[in-house]
Amino acid sequence: MHEGKHEPGGHRGARETGHPFHEEGKRGFRSAQTFRRGRALAFLERLYVKRSTLLQQLNQPEFQEIRQIISGELKATDGIIQEFIQAFELREVLAEQELTIEGAIPDHDNP
């Protein structure tokens, strides 16, 4: 038995040879992580759009009769956003998104 030693010129693992398949595997893993993070950020952006829409509706007179319902949906959406950020470890995005959203939402109290 060889006790784990390789014969000269024998097969060596992909890590030892710098085999292109192994290198692509590294990039593929990072690409998958980047892709999933991108999808998570896109979903978070949709949640912020929903939140923005609810905020606008909250201040529109035609929605006055269902203001409590809209307020409840807004609170629920805020909760979902917070849970999503925590679950997908997107805390650094939170600060960026809040700044973007605050700048994009017109202040209806101050015309």
Side-chain angles (χ1 to χ4, degrees):
M1 275 199 153
H2 294 289
E3 296 180 26
K5 295 184 181 179
H6 293 285
E7 295 280 335
H11 176 73
R12 293 181 3 199
R15 291 182 188 203
E16 296 175 45
T17 62
H19 192 274
F21 179 74
H22 182 68
E23 294 301 316
E24 286 179 20
K26 285 182 185 176
R27 285 191 299 264
F29 179 71
R30 289 189 183 263
S31 295
Q33 281 184 324
T34 302
F35 177 74
R36 286 189 299 269
R37 183 173 176 83
R39 289 181 70 185
L41 291 174
F43 183 74
L44 182 61
E45 182 62 31
R46 287 196 306 257
L47 288 172
Y48 275 117
V49 169
K50 287 181 182 194
R51 181 182 187 277
S52 174
T53 301
L54 289 168
L55 276 173
Q56 290 174 358
Q57 291 175 346
L58 200 57
N59 293 318
Q60 293 176 348
E62 59 266 25
F63 294 106
Q64 192 64 33
E65 291 181 21
I66 58 170
R67 185 179 167 112
Q68 286 184 330
I69 295 170
I70 294 171
S71 178
E73 289 183 14
L74 181 60
K75 288 178 184 178
T77 301
D78 282 339
I80 292 167
I81 288 171
Q82 294 304 315
E83 287 179 32
F84 190 81
I85 288 169
Q86 186 176 26
F88 289 94
E89 299 177 355
L90 301 172
R91 288 175 192 85
E92 70 278 1
V93 175
L94 176 62
E96 294 173 17
Q97 292 289 343
E98 283 181 348
L99 291 175
T100 302
I101 295 300
E102 286 175 5
I105 299 173
D107 186 0
H108 293 287
D109 295 334
N110 296 321

